[in-house]
Amino acid sequence: MSRPFYITTTLPYVNDKPHVGHALEFVQADALARSRRLRDDEVFFNTGTDEHGQKIYDKAVKEGRDVKEYVDFYAERFTALKEKLNLSYDAFIRTTDEKHIQAAQEIWKRCEAAGDIYKKNYKTKYCVGCELEKTDSELVEGKCPIHLNLELQIVDEENYFFKLSKYKDALLAYLAGDVVTPLARKNDAINFVNGDGFQDFSISRLKEKMSWGIPVPGDESQVMYVWFDALTNYISTLDWPNESADSNFTKYWMNGETLQVAGKDQVRMQSIMWQAMLLSANVPPTQHVFYHGFITSGGQKMSKSLGNVLDPFDYAEEFGIDAVRYFFLRHVHPFEDSDFTRERFVESYNAGLANGLGNLASRVMKMAEEHLTEPVVVAEKEDFTDYFALLDAFKFNEASDLIWQKIAECDALIQESQPFKVVKDDAEKGRALIADLAVRLYTIGRMLNPLMPSTSQIIKDAVKANKKPENMFSRREA
Ligand SMILES: [Zn+2]
């Protein structure tokens, strides 16, 4: 058993229903959390929803809805994912929760006490899509390259600023460590700190223009900028500023191992803004951030106008939750963009699950049920050193491959030793071969736990009961 393990996703912004990127991030984080629990580590797995900001405010107003009622509606779409993707998170923090609001105000006060917050009149271009200020060098033909359909807002007011520039050296020292995976994102972070965009940023808005935010401590006329508020969730979920010896904050953030999972477009927020805020508030920075790639469809970003949007939750209903988890973990590259199409999904489902895992489980357990008089003796603890090392390195695809190598080995053993024939001539020898296969299948079941928790349980139960499981993955047409 090692140190307590803290893991968090980024918080989805609740201006829409969950999409494929959320599903990927949640499943990856869930697999990591489960793989630690399998090793008896104490785990705190956080997720939640980011509920303030201009974009949400504008959308609620446009739809004529009360803003709180609007965010409640969408937050529920995200809490429902626990069941829809079989997630094992321990906490679901909403940035409208009272304890979060208090933590966001406390971190503001600490940054202010450190001399890192000041007020200034300024004028800037602001992308509501990103909820970020944009410098001219970041624009393409005067627009945000990620949100070409949105007009940039001009913010012209007196706001509070955070002294990001003060943390240049400290951030470069932090980023020099083993704190970011993959290397390409680490380089993005270092380049950002060394570039033009690395400037003090505004952390408040005039309340009369945008009231949907956490009040700035000591200034009724301003509310906090959404990112300054939302990033604090990673410690508000641990009840910070409660820093007592028996607090979750002390246990997981101060004395544990801390890991954030985020999309590859999040480097500026997660590895720079947030880490500088922590440094300013005198809280240790996050030990590691893993940035995953994006999911495309037909080689392009999914978009309603292209008509290539695939809903992972429809696939979970049609093929089963574990089939979706399998695809995301084995057939989506952890760091680079990957394509999700129906053809690719069905092809990998048939090869890996229907013909691979499902077929092996039913063949082995059919023989076991027929020829063994009692269940095989199985070891509950096994040493999966290589497998866990790959998961700890976020190589979900390669970790999965280790399991499918074992499946292939079992298939080859059946092919070569033909236990179903041997058992007719030499019962003892045949039974020994079948028992060996059942033990191997149990190991496969155990290894599947972080990736495909229900399937793992079904296989383990079948071996322990010496009974052929129901058909798990029937073959599908594309
Ligand atoms: Zn944008």
Side-chain angles (χ1 to χ4, degrees):
M1 203 163 101
S2 41
R3 286 185 297 158
F5 179 66
Y6 171 87
I7 180 168
T8 183
T9 65
T10 52
L11 296 199
Y13 199 58
V14 290
N15 67 324
D16 212 342
K17 62 182 182 154
H19 59 63
V20 68
H22 300 127
L24 173 68
E25 186 166 315
F26 292 158
V27 167
Q28 288 174 330
D30 188 65
L32 294 169
R34 286 179 189 273
S35 91
R36 295 299 184 119
R37 291 195 198 98
L38 204 56
R39 284 170 268 179
D40 291 331
D41 289 350
E42 283 186 282
V43 174
F44 191 103
F45 173 15
N46 178 59
T47 189
T49 39
D50 176 1
E51 305 187 0
H52 290 119
Q54 183 88 46
K55 189 158 50 174
I56 285 166
Y57 181 77
D58 289 351
K59 218 169 164 188
V61 168
K62 196 176 153 200
E63 293 179 18
R65 294 162 79 172
D66 173 70
V67 192
K68 183 63 168 69
E69 180 260 333
Y70 175 89
V71 295
D72 285 347
F73 174 83
Y74 279 109
E76 227 168 85
R77 300 294 167 284
F78 285 90
T79 52
L81 296 185
K82 184 158 198 163
E83 214 167 297
K84 287 187 178 179
L85 293 171
N86 194 6
L87 304 176
S88 63
Y89 58 75
D90 301 290
F92 190 97
I93 185 89
R94 296 180 58 184
T95 60
T96 49
D97 288 346
E98 191 51 41
K99 81 170 180 185
H100 173 79
I101 292 170
Q102 284 180 11
Q105 291 181 325
E106 179 63 21
I107 204 165
W108 179 289
K109 287 185 210 159
R110 298 224 185 159
C111 294
E112 194 172 36
D116 294 338
I117 294 180
Y118 63 96
K119 217 173 180 185
K120 121 176 154 180
N121 263 306
Y122 77 122
K123 191 173 175 180
T124 187
K125 291 172 181 145
Y126 188 82
C127 174
V128 175
C130 297
E131 296 277 9
L132 288 171
E133 290 170 19
K134 296 280 162 177
T135 55
D136 284 332
S137 62
E138 293 175 281
L139 305 179
V140 172
E141 290 174 5
K143 293 190 170 183
C144 166
I146 308 164
H147 298 99
L148 291 168
N149 57 334
L150 291 180
E151 291 297 328
L152 290 168
Q153 283 194 348
I154 303 295
V155 175
D156 186 0
E157 54 189 53
E158 186 178 41
N159 290 148
Y160 291 96
F161 275 72
F162 176 74
K163 259 188 213 171
L164 184 65
S165 57
K166 177 176 155 187
Y167 292 94
K168 182 168 184 169
D169 292 344
L171 283 169
L172 288 173
Y174 165 73
L175 291 168
D178 176 23
V179 294
V180 173
T181 299
L183 188 62
R185 301 290 87 79
K186 177 176 178 153
N187 292 336
D188 287 349
I190 292 167
N191 290 340
F192 186 84
V193 175
N194 286 321
D196 294 343
F198 187 76
Q199 289 169 9
D200 296 354
F201 60 96
S202 156
I203 53 169
S204 72
R205 297 297 301 272
L206 269 178
K207 195 173 177 179
E208 59 178 48
K209 291 192 185 163
M210 212 290 290
S211 59
W212 186 241
I214 296 178
V216 167
D219 187 343
E220 288 288 296
S221 71
Q222 303 253 343
V223 297
M224 282 184 207
Y225 167 54
V226 59
W227 278 106
F228 194 88
D229 136 24
L231 290 166
T232 312
N233 91 84
Y234 304 129
I235 56 174
S236 71
T237 193
L238 294 170
D239 305 325
W240 187 85
N242 177 357
E243 295 174 335
S244 62
D246 60 352
S247 67
N248 274 334
F249 175 76
T250 298
K251 178 174 175 180
Y252 289 100
W253 198 273
M254 298 303 291
N255 299 330
E257 186 183 339
T258 55
L259 173 67
Q260 293 183 224
V261 180
K264 68 176 191 181
D265 58 346
Q266 290 279 316
V267 171
R268 171 173 164 191
M269 287 71 97
Q270 309 301 332
S271 286
I272 294 166
M273 284 160 61
W274 170 231
Q275 304 311 326
M277 286 167 62
L278 288 168
L279 288 165
S280 171
N282 200 24
V283 174
T286 311
Q287 288 166 22
H288 209 93
V289 188
F290 154 56
Y291 293 99
H292 58 80
F294 289 155
I295 292 185
T296 57
S297 190
Q300 282 176 298
K301 192 179 168 185
M302 286 189 196
S303 83
K304 282 176 195 155
S305 57
L306 287 172
N308 65 347
V309 176
L310 298 184
D311 186 338
F313 311 106
D314 290 346
Y315 278 71
E317 293 224 333
E318 188 181 344
F319 294 87
I321 293 170
D322 278 356
V324 170
R325 293 178 61 112
Y326 167 77
F327 182 79
F328 282 165
L329 295 168
R330 187 168 184 221
H331 294 286
V332 166
H333 193 281
F335 313 129
E336 279 151 36
D337 295 355
S338 300
D339 218 29
F340 177 16
T341 60
R342 189 168 178 94
E343 288 84 345
R344 220 182 144 232
F345 186 92
V346 173
E347 199 179 276
S348 58
Y349 170 94
N350 281 335
L353 299 180
N355 300 345
L357 177 63
N359 184 46
L360 177 74
S362 73
R363 279 165 88 195
V364 169
M365 291 319 296
K366 184 168 185 290
M367 290 190 286
E369 192 178 328
E370 274 177 29
H371 300 290
L372 302 185
T373 51
E374 56 186 20
V376 290
V377 177
V378 288
E380 207 47 59
K381 290 286 156 208
E382 302 208 36
D383 187 7
F384 302 140
T385 314
D386 295 348
Y387 177 64
F388 287 139
L390 288 168
L391 288 176
D392 290 347
F394 319 107
K395 294 176 180 172
F396 308 101
N397 49 350
E398 292 178 35
S400 309
D401 288 346
L402 285 188
I403 300 178
W404 265 263
Q405 274 167 26
K406 288 189 183 290
I407 292 171
E409 278 164 26
C410 288
D411 283 337
L413 265 177
I414 297 173
Q415 186 72 24
E416 286 156 22
S417 63
Q418 311 230 325
F420 45 91
K421 282 187 186 158
V422 172
V423 79
K424 285 175 192 153
D425 305 324
D426 184 343
E428 202 180 328
K429 189 178 170 198
R431 280 198 208 112
L433 290 170
I434 294 167
D436 173 55
L437 285 162
V439 170
R440 287 167 183 265
L441 182 64
Y442 193 82
T443 302
I444 289 169
R446 272 182 54 71
M447 287 176 83
L448 281 169
N449 170 299
L451 316 177
M452 300 168 67
S454 307
T455 306
S456 161
Q457 196 61 49
I458 289 168
I459 290 175
K460 286 168 59 184
D461 289 348
V463 175
K464 280 200 232 171
N466 197 41
K467 210 168 167 355
K468 179 176 171 293
E470 296 284 318
N471 192 5
M472 287 182 284
F473 304 102
S474 52
R475 244 192 102 76
R476 305 297 176 94
E477 298 302 320

